[in-house]
Amino acid sequence: MDATNATADDAERTVRRVVDRIEEAAVVDREVLHAMLSATLARGHVLLEDVPGTGKTVTARVIAEAMGLEFTRLQFTPDLLPSDVTGSTIYDEQAGEFEFAPGPVFTNVVLADEINRAPPKTQAALLEAMEERQVSVDGTTYDLPDPFLVVATQNPIEQEGTFRLPEAQRDRFSVKTSLGYPDLEGEMGLLERRANRRSLSPSVEPVASPDGVRLLQALAEEVTVDEKVRRYIVEIARQTRADQRAEIGVSPRGVQRVFEAARAAALIEGRSYVTPDDVKRLAGPTMAHRIVLTTEATVEGVDGTAIVRHAVNAVDVPAVAPGPDDPEPMIDSGTESAAADGDGPDAASGRDATDPHGGATEADRRDESWHGE
């Protein structure tokens, strides 16, 4: 992809090659992969919450390999120190001076495996790295490589000996999603791929490079977002704050992350503009983990996805038109809700979007999740 005249179509072709290469080695739902790549091109970070053995590590590694990025896996444990993440200053006896030894965070893609197993002080060591793309050790600041992506994982089932991520840490992640179990064909494909290789873990050849990824990220910054779509994002976020089941709704930082991820999602689709469907598609993965529930809602089994789903259904979808230079018309959704257009789980269930609980039973609200979340 030529940096001098790259277009959204070029970006779409590049991302398609990356996706095809990833799917050679890993079985990942397209919606989940779309969300993860949107976060990557938006210079964000990803939190994967899933049970062991669903391919979180493999997925993170093959994404890095397909994009030609350096990859490091860091296993978080209760005895892990902040310096084990960022690096430390050591004394060089031969040179007779102190020098900085970079930690594993100095790479393009960092897999923070089981991040909730490390104590809060070590978790916080990632905060500056994730937000500022730098670390400070002994009063000196060191820049991290560019691109830089953190993919953190945590197990939602086994909570003994874990330290729950604080809200400030969760808010640093652009996207929180779950791989889930593959379908029958997916698991059969896994076995076929394992039968055709000699190594335990799959690997792929790169189809992009760090320069190419930086170019894609720059192109995402040029994607236009109509004022009506911007207001749509803000109104959904404000609706989550007004929900009585939420003690804290989506933050202003969260609004910006949705905006950035939607631009990246449009680029992945080969468009230079954002549609309301881009926002709806990413609303769950980008907003739900930022919501702090009330005690009553937690006891009732409500989760953040239910609140986001209700907010999306409660806000009218704007009718927007393409700009004069746009080759394709943007979707004109009128005032249809997510349930009406078949994008959300409510469309299949026929639940009342005006009901704050969506007409679901407590078991439904506890078990169902946003598609790709």
Side-chain angles (χ1 to χ4, degrees), residues 32 36 46-52 54 56 114-116 151-159 164-165 170 173 175-181 289 303 305 369 372-373:
V32 175
M36 294 181 68
V46 178
L47 177 61
L48 293 177
E49 186 175 77
D50 221 327
V51 297
T54 52
K56 299 184 293 294
E114 295 185 297
I115 188 174
N116 56 336
V151 180
T153 72
Q154 60 182 9
N155 182 355
I157 305 301
E158 187 180 355
Q159 297 300 320
R164 183 176 180 272
L165 285 179
R170 295 205 309 270
F173 291 97
V175 165
K176 176 179 176 289
T177 186
S178 173
L179 297 178
Y181 291 115
H289 63 287
D303 60 11
T305 58
S369 61
E373 169 64 12

Side-chain angles (χ1 to χ4, degrees), residues 235-250 307 310-311:
E235 288 182 350
I236 292 175
R238 294 177 70 86
Q239 188 71 31
T240 65
R241 301 171 198 162
D243 196 304
Q244 295 183 352
R245 298 168 293 172
E247 184 174 333
I248 299 176
V250 176
I307 293 176
H310 173 61

Side-chain angles (χ1 to χ4, degrees), residues 146-209:
D146 182 28
F148 177 71
L149 167 68
V150 172
V151 180
T153 72
Q154 60 182 9
N155 182 355
I157 305 301
E158 187 180 355
Q159 297 300 320
E160 184 177 354
T162 63
F163 302 86
R164 183 176 180 272
L165 285 179
E167 285 72 20
Q169 182 90 351
R170 295 205 309 270
D171 205 47
R172 292 303 199 278
F173 291 97
S174 295
V175 165
K176 176 179 176 289
T177 186
S178 173
L179 297 178
Y181 291 115
D183 57 19
L184 175 61
E185 293 302 319
E187 291 194 276
M188 290 296 293
L190 281 176
L191 295 183
E192 181 179 355
R193 294 169 194 176
R194 180 62 185 91
N196 293 331
R197 69 172 190 268
R198 297 295 182 181
S199 59
L200 289 176
S201 298
S203 61
V204 298
E205 294 296 323
V207 293
S209 66

Side-chain angles (χ1 to χ4, degrees), residues 31 35 47 173-178 236 240 250 254 258 261 277-291 303-312 338 343-345 369-373:
E31 290 295 315
L47 177 61
F173 291 97
S174 295
V175 165
K176 176 179 176 289
T177 186
S178 173
I236 292 175
T240 65
V250 176
V258 178
D277 279 347
D278 293 324
V279 177
K280 287 169 27 178
R281 187 177 188 181
L282 288 167
T286 55
M287 291 186 176
H289 63 287
R290 307 178 192 277
I291 296 173
D303 60 11
T305 58
I307 293 176
V308 173
R309 185 165 55 247
H310 173 61
V312 170
D343 269 354
S369 61
W370 192 280
H371 182 52
E373 169 64 12

